Structures are given as structure tokens and as C-alpha cells.
Amino acid sequence: MLPPGHDTSSRPPMLKRLLAGRPGRAPAFRVLAIAALRSYLGFALRTTRWTFDIHPDAAPLLTGRDGRTALVAFWHETLVLTPALWWWARPQNPSLRLHVLISRNRDGQMITDIVAPWGIAAIAGSTDRKDKSRNGGRKESKGGATALRRLLDCLRAGSLVVITPDGPRGPRRQVQPGLVGLARLSGTPVVPVGAACRARRLGSWDRMLIPLPFGRGRMVCGAPITLTSDDGTAAERIGQAIDAATAAAHALPSARLSRPLLSHAWALLATALAPALTLLLRRRLAIGKERRDRLRERMGFTARPRSPGRLIWLHAASVGESLSILPVIERLAARDPALHVLVTTATVTAAALLDQRSQAAPWGGRVIHQFVPLDVPRWLGRFLRHWRPDAAALTESELWPNLVESCARAAIPIALLNARMSDRAQAGWRRAPALAQRMFGHFAFIAARSESDAARLRALGAGSVDVPGDLKNAAAPLPCDPAGLDRLRRQLAGRPVWLAASTHAGEEEQIAQADQLLRARHPGLLTLIVPRHPERGAEIASRLGNAPRRAAGTPPGPADRFWICDTLGELGLFYRAVPIVFLGNSLPGPGRRGGHNPLEPARLGAALATGPLTGNFADAFARLGAADAVAITPDPAALAGWVDALLSDPTRQDAAARRARDAATIDPDLPDRLAARLLALIAP
């Protein structure tokens, strides 16, 4: 991205003479010199490891999103560094066009020849409002009026325009009137830019930086400045903003001009492991945890085109996170009828759930699902180049350093919703504090689900953390098909029944022990088991005496003790039909991770019990516990005693269900507030 007004005094005299040529000499020497200069400049800039610090409001202007554009302003000394910014912006919008103002002389023609192969168009002239210059007592037109008209036309057509406000002859770092006038006439905001890298300075008036290969560099783009006609301090404001961006680019020592060592090592490790990760995906495919027709999405490929207009990317790893963001998606769609939402998940169950819910929703046609790429820089870059999201949000504890770093390098503002940080996860991140601090520093905002989560995040160096509330508190009741609910109730009629929901491997045997203890007091008891992962249904049924499976279309018979409900997305149905619910992933054993969301059954009036492992939803369980709305059952005997008490006393069962319902529903406006914050990241 080369700006206008290059001055011959910023080049060594020998190079100056070589480029100018001599009368009567063939132009081959000049052509070769320009090619050599272009080759060196491209080599030095492309081998520099650049970090881009782009203000969220500047990113859409620099990439021409929705036809918006800007005047890009930087000091003349960074002239030869700025193509790096163009190479960053152009891949994000292949239709983007760049115009620069070039002096109407031999030097200007040389610059035009250098930058033309990089897709940069030149306009000859000057933005100096004085259209004449003195040249030995002779007035010479600088083409200012013509250039101004062409620049205005380019801005109206959506092109990016680049200017050095202190060029072509200085004074150094002083804004000349041309930029101010162009900004006022066009109404186009000015984006101040500063750059630094491993370089040598020339002894010219501007002390120009000449980049050296294989170094580190930093490009800083500040907040856009919109000028008004009565702003008498416009030139001063722009100069101060460019100074601030330049100081920020130079502020970090060279050792920190790119990613910290650990962050860079993480990226290299992920790249090195890419072949092994491909084998891992094949293994997951063999056991039903990936979809064959969409396996390449995990490597960043996609067969779907990007929808036109604005697009927000939300990532929810599994079923629980997907359910929590559905109300946010609904509010995003309501607030912006033209918005499209890209949702990524990491599990096939979450993908199926999202497809199921989207098909039934009026906004479903604007929701696109993809499987998230694994945390490999090349795969993530491929994904981001295709989808070009205007903003992104991760949910809960989905923290992947390369994913966050890739968004930052692409100037995509990113947020963390319903942020969750357990003691165990905090201890893990504390072993890599620099990596954690850099990653959290990229988030535009972090909305923690609780004060304890916020405190752990702040201790790891996260900024912009607040606690708007837990999305799981604001979720709507799980849906169900009314006709299906009537059928299910008829199938269960006349039998004592209870439900073990979202069970994990090893818990079904303990459920069976509780069932055996209950059977003496409740003949005909039917125990429903809904495994967290439906693909385990056949295995569970086999271990429990070939119990009937709902996924196979087999209803329970009078003599069946268990019914394996291994279908997806039907918990809303079961919680309504069976008012006694035990939540799995909570009994001690290998692989258990601290319970599941108790608010889902509580909202639907279910009496609740859980094992002692509740760390994943400690605040929700604490609130229900304070209302005497959940029982802790540490073993099969305690679980059997709790179920027996409720089956034996319907009044007690009704009271427990009422307490759970009253304690479960709070803050229904939270999804709308979070949707507004996300849309503010891409506000024009």
C-alpha cells in the first residue's frame, strides 16, 4: 500500500541516477533497477513476521466491507512498509481497490511502475490546495484539481485511498492541508496508521525506514477520524493520531514485535501435528464422532458459499453451548433482519440439534452451520478467508490460542460469551501465562457467567471482563412436539417411572443398582435412561438385558425394567413427561466432569437430584440448593432412597417440582443485551 508524494531526496544519489537513466541510453537499465527494487522490497516485507493491531472500527473500512471506505494516512517515513497492510486487507475482500496519489514527475512514474504489479493504482497530482508551485520563477501545474476530482470519484466508488499528509517534501510529521480538505469534501473518515519493523533509516528529510528481511514488524491502525467543516483542529488531531499509532508500533521491543515465543511455539506445534490430527479425524469418523460427508470442514474447507452482507460467527462446541446461544441467535436475527449467522460446533450431536432447531425457527434460513476447524493455523486461515466474518464470539470455555490469534491477525473483533473458567482450567493456563495473557488480550469483551469465573479470568490477565449473567439462566424452556408428548404419556401411563438424564459411561450400572433397590417397593417400575451421547444406546441396551431402544422404534413392554431413550433433542419431551429426574455426569468415576445444566429440567417443573460432582454448574446448583430444589445423591442407595420418597408421596414430589421451577427462571433479557453488544462490534 504505497502512498503518494515520494521525494527523490529519500533515495541514495546512485540509485537516483540509475532510475533516472541517461539521455540516449536504452530504458533496460531503468527497468532492471525497478524490478530489482520491487523484488527486494517484496522479499523484505514478506519475510517479516507482521503483527496487525487494527482498531475494531477501522477494520471494516480498511477491508471495504459493505462498500465502506477510508482515507489511510501515515507518515512519509513508513512509505515502503505499507504494502504489508495492503497484502493484509486485499485477501479479505478480493474486490477491494486501492488508489494512491503520486507526484507528477519522474519519481512518481517510478513509484507507479513499482507498485502496479501489486494491484495498486496511481493517481498523478497533488492534494496541496495551492495548485501552482514555483520552479525557478516559473509557475508549474501540479495537477491538484484534476487529482482531487479523481480521488473523490474513487472514494465514491468504494476504493481505498492512501495519503502521506507530510509528503512529498515535508516538513516531517506535519499534516498538510490537502488531506483535511479531501476528508471534508468526501465525508470519508481518516484512518491513522503507524508501522515499525527491523529496518535501517536513511539520512533523508523524512528519515525513511528501509525494511530488512526476516525480522518482525507491527502495523497499528487507530480509530477512524471523521471531520466536520467547522473543526479548526482537524490537522492537529490527525497528526496526533498518526503519532500515537506510530509510537504504538515502535513501543514494543523487537523481541515482542510478533507473537510471544510460547504463542509462536504453539502455532508451530499445531502445524507439525497436522498430519497426526488428520489421522485422529479418521479415527473419530470410524467411531461415529465425525460425518464422512463433512470431514473436510474440520480442516477449514467448505462447499457452501458465503452469504452476502454482514455475517457473525458464533462457536459452540457441544450440545450445552449450542442450546445456550440459541436465544442470542434469535435476538441477533430480530435486531438485524439482513444479518447471517455462521455457527460452528465440534460434535455431530450439537450439529444435529442445531439443524433441528433451525428448521423450526423463522430465522433458521439465515443460520449456516459448519464444523469448526481444528486449532491449526493453516486450516483456520483457510476457514476465515472463505467466511470473512465481521465479528466472532466463542462460548463458555472454548479457548483455542491459534483460533483467537487468527481472528486477531485478520482484524476480526472477537468476544467470549458465557465465559467459564474452572479452578482446574485456571491452573492449566497458569503454566503458560504469556500465552494466556496474549490470547485474552485479543477479546473485545468477555461476558463471564459468574463472579467467580470473572475473577479467575482476570487473574490470568483478561481485561474487559464483566458479569452480565449466565445464558443458561435466560434460556427458554426446552421445546417438544405436543403430539409426541401425548404419545409418550400414553406409553408411560399406569407405571411408576423416573428418568436418568444425560448419563455418561459407567453411570448406567449405578442407575441399574438403584433400580434394583427400588423394585421391591415399586413393582412395575420403569427406568428411562437418556445417554448424553446417543450413539452409546445399543451398548447400554446390551448391558441392561437387551432393553428396548427408542431410536430403534421399540416401546417398553410391561415386563421391561429399562427403556433406553437414545434419540437426539428430546429432553424437553422427557422432562415434561417424567417429573422425577436424576442428572448424570455427576456420580464419582473416571471421565466424569461435574454435572449437567439443572435449569433445563427445573424450568419444566421436574423434581431434581444429582450426584456430588456439580462443578460445571456450581452457581446454578447453589441457587437451586438454597431453594431446597435439588437433592445430592452420592451413591445408588441414596439415589434409590430419594426416588422412593417421591414416588411414595406425590405431594412431596409436587412441592419439589414447584421449588425448582420458581428458582430456575431469571433474567430473560440477557440474550438481547448480548446480541446488542455483538452487533456493536460491527456497527458502521
Side-chain angles (χ1 to χ4, degrees), residues 49-76:
R49 294 191 298 245
W50 289 97
T51 296
F52 293 91
D53 185 356
I54 314 291
H55 191 280
D57 294 339
L61 301 176
L62 293 172
T63 53
R65 297 180 197 172
D66 300 329
R68 291 175 288 173
T69 188
L71 287 161
V72 181
F74 46 83
W75 297 134
H76 198 270

Side-chain angles (χ1 to χ4, degrees), residues 61-64 68 86 89-90 93-98 158-160:
L61 301 176
L62 293 172
T63 53
R68 291 175 288 173
W86 173 235
R90 182 69 181 274
N93 182 0
S95 65
L96 186 64
R97 295 293 177 266
L98 174 68
S159 290
L160 207 61

Side-chain angles (χ1 to χ4, degrees), residues 96-380:
L96 186 64
R97 295 293 177 266
L98 174 68
H99 288 78
V100 298
L101 188 65
I102 301 296
S103 299
R104 297 184 68 185
N105 53 30
R106 190 161 44 198
D107 297 327
Q109 183 58 51
M110 178 213 58
I111 295 174
T112 301
D113 293 341
I114 290 175
V115 302
W118 295 337
I120 302 174
I123 294 176
S126 170
T127 58
D128 194 334
R129 297 183 67 177
K130 294 179 287 185
D131 195 44
K132 302 287 182 180
S133 65
R134 295 284 179 181
N135 185 8
R138 177 172 54 87
K139 290 185 178 181
E140 177 184 308
S141 173
K142 297 166 66 179
T146 301
L148 184 60
R149 286 194 296 270
R150 291 189 62 191
L151 289 172
L152 288 171
D153 289 341
C154 291
L155 291 170
R156 289 168 186 144
S159 290
L160 207 61
V161 170
V162 210
I163 287 181
T164 51
D166 61 340
R169 301 181 184 276
R172 181 174 183 255
R173 294 195 177 187
Q174 289 188 23
V175 175
Q176 301 301 312
L179 173 61
V180 175
L182 182 59
R184 284 175 173 162
L185 284 172
S186 65
T188 305
V190 177
V191 175
V193 178
C197 71
R198 180 171 172 262
R200 294 187 62 183
R201 283 193 182 272
L202 298 181
S204 54
W205 69 267
D206 57 358
R207 301 188 63 206
M208 177 173 284
L209 293 168
I210 302 299
L212 299 175
F214 304 109
R216 299 180 177 92
R218 184 176 181 86
M219 194 78 63
V220 177
C221 302
I225 301 170
T226 301
L227 302 183
T228 60
S229 58
D230 58 350
D231 186 354
T233 62
E236 182 180 354
R237 287 174 56 209
I238 293 173
Q240 290 174 348
I242 303 175
D243 280 340
T246 303
H250 284 273
L252 297 179
S254 60
R256 295 182 61 197
L257 280 175
S258 67
R259 300 184 226 178
L261 178 61
L262 190 55
S263 178
H264 192 60
W266 181 273
L268 291 175
L269 177 62
T271 301
L273 290 176
L277 293 175
T278 304
L279 296 177
L280 174 64
L281 290 174
R282 296 289 179 184
R283 170 62 180 162
R284 286 173 56 84
L285 177 64
I287 60 177
K289 291 189 174 183
E290 301 288 346
R291 285 181 48 174
R292 183 177 299 278
D293 59 328
R294 297 177 63 181
L295 189 65
R296 282 168 60 81
E297 290 179 15
R298 301 287 262 151
M299 294 175 275
F301 293 99
T302 181
R304 299 192 60 172
R306 185 196 189 277
S307 302
R310 302 205 297 180
L311 182 144
I312 285 182
W313 168 30
L314 303 180
H315 174 58
S318 191
V319 172
E321 294 90 341
S322 299
L323 287 171
S324 70
I325 64 168
L326 283 172
V328 178
I329 296 173
E330 178 184 1
R331 297 313 306 156
L332 284 170
R335 281 178 167 268
D336 187 345
L339 182 73
H340 284 78
V341 180
L342 172 68
V343 182
T344 56
T345 66
T347 67
V348 294
T349 51
L353 173 71
L354 187 70
D355 289 342
Q356 182 187 77
R357 297 291 178 85
S358 296
Q359 290 172 7
W363 40 262
R366 290 190 278 142
V367 174
I368 307 160
H369 174 265
Q370 291 279 277
F371 287 105
V372 69
L374 298 185
D375 202 43
V376 177
R378 186 173 71 255
W379 298 355
L380 291 163

